[in-house]
């Protein structure tokens, strides 16, 4: 399989008044094309900071202080790989929402309450696909079916051709200021709207036209989350990152969304990075799983291997602390609590709570090592 | 088994007030007529999606809120007379010694405690209301309670924010059991916690129930948690109970289509498990104007004309297994196929 995303020794720190929070401690991980990769761990273990670091949107006072984030946009051509941490902010801006897009837990935070759903979905096309849409419209104007008067048609066509070459051209800005001539944008917006209706329809939402005209407050939580997914999928990203995207939803709505993602997996999205604290959701939709604890990656394996034969003591403890459908006996809880990341335990960060901990665990941080078929574990005692 | 509480057609409607004249225009039917018996020593699980009225049920039972109509009958342990607490004044309840017998633990330990009070005072508050104790005795009692919930004397003089979520929930439990209650409403006590901590709290609650002979109403939206902790489960939908049965029966042969959808929607932490899914369409209707007939008919795949017109009653199917569905006997066969 071909790699899609790889991080090497990624380190992210938050410089707070109380001290430096070491939220990511040399996280090295890779995900392949076409795979739904699940990242699990308890709250505060650094899952969100990880994806935010990948997208370079870590909030203040956080800083990425080491490592690499390598994206392989092309399955076959590994030479096209880029280290995202070396790129300019402009490059990242064009990447977000286009090649990689993200959805969060709170749909309300992602949607603008005073813009209609249609405008918000269309915005994504207008931002990332303007040139392509202009080309398409220019071609349409050429075709015989177009019924605009010839002179106007000619004018519009040249405007669209300018827009195709340089969407920020001065002429276009000027034209947008002149009321009569501003109309050239109409076709563009119509085209974006058509595409929006199409993508919403693809998500299996009934009456896409009505939904496009409504506002966020008219919609239920589950529907809003679907719109957010539609916006994320608008430009056919090669990677969709979902950070706790279904955690706030009710069971029946969560089941709807997971089913939708599973179907889209065959058609629209190739790879998903799914962040969650719910091991049930992981078992439902992920192919591969990474387990995090206190800023460290403990174990990476195929989903069956994680559930059938977990190798890291933390993974094992985590799995025995969730109630099962066929639960036998008491739940095993992990003694103690998650460490404070300002002064994390030395060596392996799990050692104070680990039943197998020995001297070496207190001294040195274990690295991920392959212990079986594509199964990686960072533990001294396996 | 002996009953501890008996709910009869209990309702809670929150008025919706609007306009210049501040007139009531509608009401949120948060709880729309439930009948329920709760037995001594059991853990009754209550599940349902958010907004279906679970928290309201808990609050109305222990009279944190007054019901709009209906009755809550409390049966005392020794053969005293049953009392209708739905219409008793708070003072009368306290005088009869019922108030302290019914307690509640909330979901978010951070907001259910006064951040400016020391742990010692948080736990002392309900005790002081009940009995007068010397400061020495009081402190001993509080220390005992803290040890019972897995904390220690060293935690007495700290503020809530100095604790982790799990520890705060332990404090909330200590406060609830401080006055020797008989019945505790646990409203999503583990929903804000991480799984490893959730296991600690669930095991603690189980232990306390056994040691102190408590009765629980365990409210949650997490079905696997309910399966772990309760003997019986009630499923709520839009202010009504749609099915109630022993935990084993609910999970092995659910009768109501909604229960079935809930169960098949649980993400099961097991990669091998592939269930036959029943995915519902649409969302829960608003409790302002619940649908006519069966409230679930707008999302039910088995809907018939009868369901749209007539509301089904909660009827016994087998001993102790009740469901409110017109087609409960036929559907079971279709679901198994
Ligand atoms: N803005 C911030 N300031 C300080 N610390 C932060 C900030 N954001 C996150 N952290 C710290 O980073 C760690 C990881 O957080 P996060 O990635 O959000 O966890 P989760 O796995 O729940 O998504 C936490 O311990 C948290 O304290
Ligand atoms: N104080 C209140 N005023 C008005 N409506 C309320 C109030 N409390 C709850 N509700 C409404 O009652 C319904 C049931 O709420 P609740 O009992 O909290 O549900 P659950 O606990 O099952 O999520 C919801 O629709 C909610 O909006
Ligand atoms: Mg997070
Ligand atoms: Mg509630």
């Amino acid at each position: 399989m071909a790699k899609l995303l790889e991080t090497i020794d990624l380190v992210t720190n938050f410089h707070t008044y109380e001290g430096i929070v070491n939220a990511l401690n040399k996280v090295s991980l890779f995900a392949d094309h076409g795979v739904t990769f699940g990242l699990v761990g308890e709250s505060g273990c650094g899952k969100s900071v990880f994806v935010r670091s990948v997208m370079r949107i870590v909030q203040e006072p956080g800083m990425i202080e080491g490592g690499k984030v390598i994206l392989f946009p092309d399955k076959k051509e590994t030479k096209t790989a880029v280290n995202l941490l070396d790129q300019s902010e402009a490059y990242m801006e064009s990447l977000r929402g286009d090649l990689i897009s993200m959805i969060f837990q709170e749909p309300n935070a992602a949607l603008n309450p005073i813009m209609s759903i249609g405008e918000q979905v269309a915005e994504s096309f207008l931002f990332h696909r303007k040139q392509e849409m202009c080309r398409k419209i220019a071609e349409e104007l050429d075709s015989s079916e177009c019924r605009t008067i010839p002179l106007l048609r000619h004018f519009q066509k040249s405007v669209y051709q300018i827009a195709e070459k340089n969407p920020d051209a001065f002429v276009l800005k000027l034209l947008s200021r002149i009321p009569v001539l501003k109309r050239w944008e109409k076709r563009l917006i119509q085209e974006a709207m058509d595409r929006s209706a199409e993508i919403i329809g693809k998500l299996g939402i009934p009456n896409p036209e009505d939904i496009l005209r409504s506002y966020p407050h008219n919609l239920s939580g589950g529907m809003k989350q679907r719109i957010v997914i539609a916006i994320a999928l608008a430009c056919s990203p090669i990677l969709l990152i979902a950070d706790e995207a279904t955690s706030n939803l009710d069971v029946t709505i969560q089941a709807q969304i997971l089913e939708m993602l599973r179907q889209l997996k065959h058609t629209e999205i190739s790879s998903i990075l799914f962040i969650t604290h719910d091991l049930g959701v992981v078992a439902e939709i992920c192919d591969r799983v990474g387990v995090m604890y206190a800023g460290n990656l403990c174990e990476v394996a195929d989903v069956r291997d994680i559930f059938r034969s977990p190798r890291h003591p933390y993974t094992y403890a985590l799995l025995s602390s969730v109630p099962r459908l066929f639960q036998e006996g008491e739940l095993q809880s992990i003694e103690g609590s998650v460490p404070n990341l300002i002064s994390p335990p030395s060596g392996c960060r799990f050692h104070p709570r680990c039943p197998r901990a020995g001297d070496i665990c207190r001294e040195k941080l274990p690295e991920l090592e392959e212990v079986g078929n594509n199964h990686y574990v960072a533990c001294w005692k396996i | 088994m002996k009953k501890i509480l008996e709910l009869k057609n209990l309702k809670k409607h929150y008025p919706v007030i609007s306009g210049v004249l501040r007139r009531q225009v509608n009401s949120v039917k948060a709880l729309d007529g439930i009948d329920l018996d709760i037995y001594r020593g059991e853990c009754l699980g209550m599940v349902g999606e958010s907004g279906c009225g679970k928290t309201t049920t808990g609050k109305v039972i222990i009279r944190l809120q007054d019901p709009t109509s209906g009755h809550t009958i409390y049966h005392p342990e020794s053969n005293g007379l049953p009392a209708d607490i739905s219409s008793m004044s708070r003072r009368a309840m306290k005088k009869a010694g019922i108030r302290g017998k019914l307690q509640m633990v909330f979901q978010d330990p951070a907001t259910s405690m006064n951040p400016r009070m020391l742990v010692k005072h948080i736990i002392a508050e309900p005790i002081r209301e009940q009995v007068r104790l010397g400061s020495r005795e009081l402190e001993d009692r509080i220390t005992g309670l803290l040890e019972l919930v897995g904390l220690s004397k060293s935690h007495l003089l700290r503020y809530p924010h100095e604790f982790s979520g799990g520890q705060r929930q332990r404090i909330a439990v200590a406060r609830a059991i401080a006055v020797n209650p008989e019945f505790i409403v646990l409203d999503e006590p583990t929903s804000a916690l991480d799984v490893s901590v959730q296991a600690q709290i669930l095991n603690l609650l189980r232990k306390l129930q056994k040691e102190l002979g408590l009765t629980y109403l365990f409210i949650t939206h997490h079905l696997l948690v309910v399966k772990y902790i309760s003997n019986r489960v009630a499923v709520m939908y839009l202010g009504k109970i749609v099915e109630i049965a022993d935990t084993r029966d609910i999970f092995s042969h659910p009768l109501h289509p909604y229960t079935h959808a809930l169960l098949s929607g649980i993400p099961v932490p097991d990669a091998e498990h592939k269930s036959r899914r029943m995915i519902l369409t649409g969302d829960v209707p608003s409790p302002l104007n619940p649908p006519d007939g069966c409230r679930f008919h707008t999302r039910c795949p088995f809907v018939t004309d009868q369901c749209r017109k007539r509301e089904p009653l909660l009827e016994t199917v087998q001993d102790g297994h009740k469901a409110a569905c017109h087609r409960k006997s036929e559907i079971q066969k279709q679901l198994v196929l």
Side-chain angles (χ1 to χ4, degrees):
Chain A
M1 277 216 253
K3 275 185 195 172
L4 166 64
L5 181 76
E6 180 169 23
T7 65
I8 301 169
D9 289 339
L10 192 61
V11 176
T12 299
N13 291 332
F14 288 88
H15 296 263
T16 64
Y17 291 115
E18 287 162 53
I20 298 175
V21 180
N22 183 210
L24 292 183
N25 184 21
K26 298 200 174 176
V27 175
S28 302
L29 156 156
F30 66 86
D32 289 327
H33 275 277
V35 163
T36 304
F37 192 102
L39 199 56
V40 279
E42 299 178 88
S43 60
C45 71
K47 305 180 296 292
S48 300
V49 172
F50 175 78
V51 291
R52 285 175 171 275
S53 303
V54 167
M55 299 287 274
R56 289 197 21 211
I57 47 170
V58 182
Q59 297 120 313
E60 286 284 306
M63 281 214 284
I64 304 171
E65 297 190 342
K68 286 182 187 162
V69 177
I70 302 170
L71 181 71
F72 301 84
D74 202 321
K75 252 185 233 180
K76 289 162 203 113
E77 225 18 272
T78 46
K79 277 189 218 117
T80 52
V82 277
N83 180 359
L84 297 184
L85 300 186
D86 292 341
Q87 302 301 318
S88 67
E89 185 52 37
Y91 176 88
M92 289 306 293
E93 216 159 80
S94 67
L95 184 91
R96 293 184 205 121
D98 189 355
L99 274 185
I100 307 182
S101 52
M102 238 182 130
I103 45 182
F104 297 95
Q105 178 166 359
E106 257 313 310
N108 287 331
L111 295 176
N112 184 340
I114 56 165
M115 267 167 84
S116 77
I117 297 295
E119 285 171 300
Q120 301 192 45
V121 185
E123 202 176 35
S124 180
F125 289 109
L126 289 173
F127 189 82
H128 293 289
R129 291 283 181 274
K130 199 166 187 175
Q131 281 158 295
E132 188 208 317
M133 287 196 298
C134 287
R135 189 180 326 127
K136 185 167 168 236
I137 294 168
E139 276 163 20
E140 270 175 14
L141 284 169
D142 261 346
S143 73
S144 48
E145 284 138 54
C146 185
R147 269 183 288 149
T148 332
I149 29 173
L151 195 65
L152 193 59
R153 193 202 300 187
H154 197 75
F155 167 72
Q156 283 195 347
K157 199 182 142 200
S158 50
V159 174
Y160 282 115
Q161 275 164 348
I162 296 170
E164 187 198 328
K165 286 199 196 78
N166 179 10
D168 301 321
F170 176 70
V171 197
L172 297 179
K173 282 197 187 130
L174 194 71
L175 288 181
S176 299
R177 291 286 165 85
I178 305 169
V180 190
L181 300 180
K182 196 170 186 248
R183 288 182 52 191
W184 74 271
E185 279 182 335
K186 256 199 172 156
R187 269 172 183 276
L188 195 62
I189 291 169
Q190 190 52 46
E191 172 72 21
M193 281 292 188
D194 290 347
R195 290 185 180 204
S196 308
E198 189 190 347
I199 184 85
I200 288 184
K202 270 190 197 158
L203 299 197
I205 299 173
N207 314 333
E209 310 290 337
D210 292 345
I211 297 280
L212 284 181
R213 256 178 271 121
S214 54
Y215 285 81
H217 66 90
N218 302 126
L219 305 177
S220 67
M223 190 57 86
K224 276 188 259 190
Q225 195 60 292
R226 259 177 268 197
I227 298 299
V228 173
I229 295 177
I231 295 175
L233 296 184
C235 299
S236 322
I238 55 170
L239 175 64
L240 174 73
I241 301 180
D243 189 355
E244 306 271 6
T246 61
S247 305
N248 251 358
L249 304 173
D250 277 314
V251 198
T252 60
I253 308 292
Q254 168 165 293
Q256 288 174 3
I257 301 267
L258 291 182
E259 182 62 29
M260 189 182 93
L261 285 177
R262 207 173 294 134
Q263 275 168 11
L264 288 171
K265 194 77 206 318
H266 297 296
T267 52
E268 298 293 312
I269 336 166
S270 72
S271 319
I272 308 180
L273 178 54
F274 204 95
I275 316 300
T276 178
H277 64 271
D278 189 338
L279 286 159
V281 174
V282 168
E284 290 280 324
I285 78 160
C286 296
D287 307 316
R288 228 174 135 66
V289 185
V291 181
M292 281 188 78
Y293 180 79
N296 281 343
L297 193 63
C298 313
E299 182 161 4
V300 183
D302 287 344
V303 69
R304 279 168 171 260
D305 296 334
I306 283 278
F307 284 91
R308 200 193 292 150
S309 52
R311 301 291 293 272
H312 197 284
Y314 175 65
T315 317
Y316 185 80
L318 194 65
L319 283 170
S320 15
S321 68
V322 287
R324 300 301 185 94
L325 200 52
F326 303 103
Q327 177 73 29
E328 286 159 14
E330 285 245 302
L331 285 179
Q332 304 297 313
S333 56
I334 311 176
E335 286 311 308
S337 54
V338 181
N340 181 342
L341 297 184
I342 292 179
S343 48
S346 60
C348 171
R349 290 184 172 182
F350 187 56
H351 86 251
R353 302 173 78 187
C354 181
R356 289 191 229 160
D359 286 339
I360 185 160
C361 305
R362 284 179 204 111
E363 282 148 24
K364 267 179 79 182
L365 179 69
E367 287 191 12
L368 274 185
E369 272 174 49
E370 188 156 7
V371 296
N373 181 24
N374 225 351
H375 191 148
Y376 297 82
V377 179
C379 178
W380 292 117
K381 302 277 174 183
I382 37 169
Chain B
M1 261 197 294
K2 276 174 69 183
K3 282 178 201 167
I4 179 167
L5 285 162
E6 202 177 334
L7 317 186
K8 289 188 177 161
N9 199 13
L10 204 59
K11 289 189 184 176
K12 176 73 189 173
H13 292 184
Y14 295 104
V16 177
I17 290 164
S18 129
V20 212
L21 299 176
R22 318 287 307 148
R23 265 199 317 208
Q24 181 178 343
V25 288
N26 201 340
S27 61
V28 179
K29 284 106 194 146
L31 197 59
D32 211 12
I34 63 168
D35 297 290
L36 183 66
D37 295 337
I38 303 174
Y39 299 99
R40 270 189 192 276
E42 76 169 340
C43 175
L44 173 63
M46 185 168 258
V47 294
E49 291 173 281
S50 60
C52 71
K54 306 183 295 294
T55 303
T56 307
T57 311
K59 286 185 176 166
V60 167
I61 292 178
I62 69 162
R63 283 293 302 283
L64 281 179
Q65 280 175 350
D66 298 333
T68 311
S69 68
H71 304 279
T72 311
I73 319 273
Y74 168 76
H75 297 264
E77 181 149 37
S78 51
N79 302 319
L81 286 179
D84 185 350
I85 54 175
S86 60
S87 52
M88 250 186 193
S89 74
R90 302 232 153 118
R91 188 189 278 155
M93 269 176 83
K94 200 174 156 190
K95 214 164 156 201
I98 302 177
R99 197 133 180 82
K101 298 257 183 283
L102 314 174
Q103 292 290 329
M104 187 151 174
V105 172
F106 294 92
Q107 166 172 359
D108 192 354
T111 54
S112 65
M113 274 179 243
N114 185 340
R116 277 175 294 184
M117 266 162 92
L118 291 171
V119 167
K120 185 176 145 183
H121 297 135
I122 289 175
I123 301 179
E125 210 179 10
I127 304 180
R128 283 221 189 90
E129 248 182 55
Q130 293 263 316
V131 279
R132 287 194 173 279
L133 288 180
S135 65
R136 192 63 176 279
E137 280 169 288
L138 190 64
E139 195 164 317
D140 283 349
R141 185 147 161 198
I142 295 170
T143 313
L145 285 166
L146 281 179
E147 276 161 10
L148 203 54
V149 298
L151 296 172
S152 69
K153 200 172 175 177
S154 63
H155 295 112
L156 272 179
L157 296 179
R158 296 213 206 151
Y159 288 98
H161 71 87
E162 297 174 56
F163 293 89
S164 68
Q167 285 174 320
R168 268 192 294 237
Q169 203 57 291
R170 286 172 194 267
I171 296 168
V173 171
R175 179 174 61 176
I177 60 173
V179 288
N180 304 321
E182 293 175 357
F183 173 76
I184 304 183
V185 178
L186 299 158
D187 188 5
E188 311 249 8
T190 61
S191 302
L193 305 176
D194 275 318
V195 281
S196 70
V197 184
Q198 162 171 296
Q200 293 171 3
I201 299 289
L202 290 178
N203 288 340
L204 170 72
L205 289 171
R206 261 191 168 185
K207 183 192 92 172
L208 290 176
Q209 185 183 23
K210 225 180 280 161
E211 286 176 7
L212 307 177
L214 298 168
T215 308
Y216 288 156
L217 175 65
F218 195 103
I219 296 173
T220 180
H221 63 270
H222 198 313
L223 286 122
L224 294 178
V225 167
V226 142
K227 181 156 196 286
Y228 179 64
I229 199 153
S230 23
N231 319 104
R232 252 182 354 133
V233 180
V235 181
M236 280 190 82
Y237 188 76
L238 265 187
K240 286 264 187 188
I241 292 181
V242 295
E243 181 162 3
I244 180 163
D246 283 350
T247 310
R248 209 176 322 124
D249 293 341
I250 283 267
F251 279 81
S252 62
H253 50 280
L255 293 175
H256 200 284
Y258 178 63
T259 314
H260 196 84
L262 273 186
L263 294 180
S264 76
I266 316 175
V268 179
D270 190 343
E272 244 86 343
H273 177 96
K274 290 282 166 277
S275 68
R276 281 165 38 86
R277 261 170 209 297
M278 176 170 139
I279 304 238
L280 295 177
T281 51
D283 290 299
V284 185
S286 153
L288 281 171
N289 304 304
D292 291 334
C294 173
R295 292 172 182 227
F296 184 56
H297 86 247
T298 53
R299 300 171 81 195
C300 183
F302 304 102
V303 59
T304 60
D305 267 349
Q306 188 188 18
C307 307
R308 295 192 187 94
K309 289 188 196 117
R310 218 159 48 79
E311 181 154 7
L313 299 172
L314 190 65
E315 288 165 339
T316 306
V317 181
Q318 284 156 12
D319 43 17
H321 196 153
K322 296 184 192 174
C325 174
H326 289 306
R327 307 188 60 199
K328 50 187 176 289
S329 42
E330 313 151 51
I331 286 170
Q332 170 103 82
K333 286 178 209 118
Q334 295 190 29
L335 287 175
V336 173
L337 289 177

